[in-house]
Amino acid sequence: MAKRAWLMKSEPNVYGWDDLIAEKEGTWDGVRNHRASNNMRAMEVGDQVFFYHSNIGREIVGIAEITVSGITDPTDPENKWAAVKLKPVRKLDRPVTLKEIKADPTMKECELVRLSRLSVAEIRPDEWEKILLKSKS
DNA sequence: GCCAACGTTGGC
DNA sequence: GCCAACGTTGGC
């Protein structure tokens, strides 16, 4: 089964990597953007997710994995928005900043750079590898 | 159905 | 704190 990869943004002072670690499994709800919601609908259990700190830090800090997919947002009375659950996998050796990603001309096309306001973005396999590589340097 | 006004997100 | 980008709302 072809796994896809994603990037999810969260403000660390609201819900950061440490909160996900503490909870062991987090529910990603409250997303009210169609593109982000569609991305979540496309997720499958086992998909890998970069965990990104927006606003404070502006960097990818860790890798998480989808544990439950295709659920409806429990905070949505209309039951029309999607949600997923995810668990932490590991912290990156070193955070990869948005600045570094933007500085790489081959990353211009990724949703993270193109659509800065999108809170749930798709990461293509080659982009995933490039970011991982940066975290090891 | 168009578009101006407004609100929100998130980088800087 | 400012502003650009984007989404939503509401008047016409």
Side-chain angles (χ1 to χ4, degrees):
Chain A
M1 150 174 49
K3 301 282 182 210
R4 296 170 80 180
W6 312 93
L7 178 140
M8 290 169 137
K9 291 184 184 178
S10 189
E11 297 195 34
N13 56 342
V14 178
Y15 188 93
W17 175 256
D18 292 339
D19 296 300
L20 183 64
I21 294 284
E23 274 200 333
K24 296 192 173 69
E25 184 181 60
T27 302
W28 217 261
D29 55 24
V31 173
R32 294 294 180 271
N33 171 281
H34 287 288
R35 186 152 189 159
S37 197
N38 284 343
N39 279 343
M40 290 209 288
R41 258 182 251 282
M43 290 177 184
E44 289 175 23
V45 172
D47 280 2
Q48 302 292 108
V49 178
F50 278 136
F51 195 101
Y52 174 86
H53 281 171
S54 62
N55 246 309
I56 301 165
R58 279 165 246 136
E59 58 194 11
I60 298 167
V61 290
I63 296 174
E65 183 180 314
I66 301 299
T67 52
V68 180
S69 67
I71 55 176
T72 51
D73 189 335
T75 69
D76 171 25
E78 308 271 307
N79 271 359
K80 50 177 194 169
W81 294 98
V84 294
K85 292 189 181 186
L86 72 170
K87 65 174 183 192
V89 175
R90 66 178 178 88
K91 229 178 161 168
L92 292 185
D93 299 338
R94 168 181 85 71
V96 177
T97 64
L98 179 66
K99 199 177 166 187
E100 288 178 74
I101 295 169
K102 282 193 162 174
D104 185 338
T106 67
M107 298 289 289
K108 285 275 188 291
E109 294 299 309
C110 72
E111 284 191 339
L112 174 66
V113 175
R114 257 188 324 118
L115 307 166
S116 68
R117 284 182 51 199
L118 187 64
S119 60
V120 182
E122 185 176 7
I123 301 279
R124 290 184 293 138
D126 59 312
E127 293 162 353
W128 180 274
E129 290 304 321
K130 269 179 237 172
I131 291 168
L132 263 194
L133 207 63
K134 288 180 205 299
S135 76
K136 286 169 182 156
S137 55

